[in-house]
Amino acid sequence: MRSARPRLSRPVFALLAFVCALVLVDTLFFTALTPLLPHYVHVAGLTKAGAGILVAAYPAGTLVGALPGGVLAARLGYRPTVLLGLALMSASTLVFGWATNPVVLDLTRFVQGLGGACTWAAGLAWLATASPEERRGELLGTALGAAVVGALFGPLAGVVASQVGTGPAFAGAAVAGVMLMALTFAVTAPPAVPPQPLRAAWPAFRDRQVSAGMWLTLLPGLGFGVMDVLAPLRLSQLGASAAVIGGTFLASAAIESGISPLAGRLSDRRGALLPIRIALAGAVLVSLLTPVLPSEYSLVALLVLGLPCYGALFAPAAALLSAGADRMGLHQGLAFGLANLAWATGQAVAALLGGALAQATSDFVPYALLAASLLGTLATAQRLARA
C-alpha cells in the first residue's frame, strides 16, 4: 500500500501560493511581448533580425544570470535572492513600457531576464527545500502549472497593452512586482541549508540523468524561441490582427496548462520516455508545417493544437533533472540554476539566430533546423525505449 500523503502545514501552503504568484507574474509579462511584436517592429523600426534580438534579450539575461542566480540562492539565501530578482524585474519593466528606442528595449528586456533568473532559481529552490519529500514533485508541478497560467494570460495582457498603451500596462507589472516584494517578508523563512559553491555544479554536466534533463529543457526553449519570433510575424503577414495573434497563443497555453500535469503523471506511471517521445513527434510536425501553411486560419489551428507539444517536454525534463540533482547531493538552488541555464540557452540562441536566418534565407530554414534537432532527439529516445 502507498503511504498517506503528509498534509501541508500553513507555512508551506503559504509559500506554495507565494511561489506560484512569483512565477506567474514573471511568465505573464515575458509572454506579453508576443502579440506586441508587430507593434514594436513598427514603432522601433525593427527588422526580423531586430525582432529576434528583442525576443532573445530576455532569455539572454536569464542565460547570463542562471548560474549566478543559483549561486546567490545557495550562498545568500532564498529570500534576498528573490528580492533582488523582483527589484530588477520591476524597475526594468517600468522603463520597458515607455521605451521606443531599440537599444533601450533590448537592455530592459535583458535586465528582466536577469531578474527572472534570480526569482526562479531561489523561489523554486525555496519551495523544494521546504516541501515534504513525499510531495515535492507535486508542489513543484503546481508552481510550474502557475507559470503556464501566467504564460496563458501573457498574450492577453499584450493585447490589452496594445489597446491601452504599453506604458500604463507595464507600469502595472512594476506595481505587481513591488507588491510581491512586500509579500516576501510575510512568508516563513526557509530552513537553513548548507551553502554550496559554483564548482559543486560542474560534475552535474557529466551526469547522464542531469544532462538529459537539461537537454530536454533546452529543446522547448529552442522551439519557443523560433516560434515567438517568426510565428507572430507570419500570422501578421497573413492578415491576423494583434487580437488574433494574442488569442492564438492564449488558446495554446490553455491547452498546455492541462497537458503539462498529464505529462508529469504519465512520466511517473510509465517512465519519462513515453511522454518525451509523444511530445517530440508532435513538435517535429509543428516545426515543419508552420512556415508552409498558406492561410491564417490553418496556421492558427496548427499553433493552438501544436505549440503545447514543446511545453509538454518541461515536466518529464524537470523530473529527470531534479532526481539527478537529489542523487548527486546538489543544492536545489544550483539545480534550478542549471535548468534556467538550459532553457535560456535554447530560447536566446533560437530567437537571435532564428530571426537572422529567416531574414538572410527564408523562414523555413530555422524551422527545418529546429525539426532536425527534435527528430535526432526522438530517434535517441526511441533507441532507449527499445533497449
Side-chain angles (χ1 to χ4, degrees):
M1 292 179 61
R2 293 183 180 180
S3 59
R5 296 185 307 165
R7 293 178 62 87
L8 295 182
S9 64
R10 287 187 177 181
V12 172
F13 187 82
L15 175 62
L16 173 63
F18 171 73
V19 174
C20 286
L22 194 68
V23 297
L24 185 149
V25 170
D26 181 82
T27 56
L28 179 79
F29 289 96
F30 168 63
T31 57
L33 179 62
T34 301
L36 291 171
L37 198 57
H39 163 77
Y40 282 112
V41 168
H42 174 70
V43 300
L46 301 177
T47 63
K48 279 187 178 180
I53 292 173
L54 180 60
V55 173
Y58 183 102
T62 304
L63 175 62
V64 172
L67 290 181
V71 171
L72 287 173
R75 286 185 171 270
L76 298 182
Y78 301 139
R79 196 196 308 270
T81 307
V82 166
L83 287 169
L84 174 61
L86 287 172
L88 290 173
M89 186 274 286
S90 300
S92 58
T93 300
L94 180 62
V95 176
F96 180 84
W98 298 99
T100 56
N101 182 278
V103 175
V104 176
L105 290 169
D106 293 339
L107 286 176
T108 50
R109 286 290 285 182
F110 181 85
V111 175
Q112 287 174 358
L114 288 175
C118 293
T119 55
W120 274 78
L124 292 179
W126 191 347
L127 180 61
T129 303
S131 299
E133 185 176 353
E134 298 87 349
R135 299 188 65 177
R136 179 182 295 177
E138 176 191 349
L139 299 189
L140 288 174
T142 302
L144 291 172
V148 175
V149 172
L152 171 66
F153 288 100
L156 181 60
V159 172
V160 172
S162 69
Q163 300 299 317
V164 304
T166 56
F170 286 107
V175 172
V178 173
M179 292 174 63
L180 284 172
M181 291 177 71
L183 286 174
T184 303
F185 295 99
V187 181
T188 302
V193 178
Q196 285 185 351
L198 177 59
R199 63 176 178 271
W202 301 139
F205 289 96
R206 299 190 298 271
D207 183 85
R208 288 187 177 184
Q209 193 173 16
V210 173
S211 60
M214 290 181 66
W215 173 250
L216 291 167
T217 303
L218 182 145
L219 273 180
L222 288 174
F224 286 121
V226 172
M227 289 290 179
D228 287 349
V229 175
L230 299 181
L233 298 179
R234 176 63 176 166
L235 283 169
S236 180
Q237 184 183 27
L238 292 174
S241 64
V244 171
I245 296 171
T248 298
F249 283 84
L250 177 68
S252 70
I255 295 174
E256 183 185 339
S257 67
I259 286 179
S260 292
L262 292 176
R265 284 196 289 270
L266 187 60
S267 177
D268 290 337
R269 295 177 180 180
R270 301 286 299 276
L273 282 176
L274 180 58
I276 286 170
R277 290 153 60 201
I278 295 172
L280 287 171
V284 170
L285 290 176
V286 175
S287 301
L288 293 175
L289 290 176
T290 297
V292 299
L293 290 182
S295 72
E296 170 190 346
Y297 303 105
S298 60
L299 182 55
V300 166
L302 176 70
L303 294 176
V304 167
L305 298 176
L307 283 178
C309 293
Y310 300 106
L313 289 168
F314 282 125
L320 287 172
L321 183 61
S322 178
D326 278 345
R327 179 174 46 78
M328 296 179 63
L330 185 65
H331 192 285
Q332 289 293 326
L334 290 174
F336 285 107
L338 292 176
N340 281 338
L341 179 68
W343 170 82
T345 299
Q347 184 90 19
V349 169
L352 186 61
L353 297 184
L357 277 173
Q359 184 174 334
T361 56
S362 70
D363 284 6
F364 187 77
V365 173
Y367 280 115
L369 292 174
L370 171 62
S373 300
L374 294 164
L375 192 59
T377 306
L378 176 60
T380 301
Q382 293 282 41
R383 286 197 299 271
L384 291 174
R386 286 195 295 269

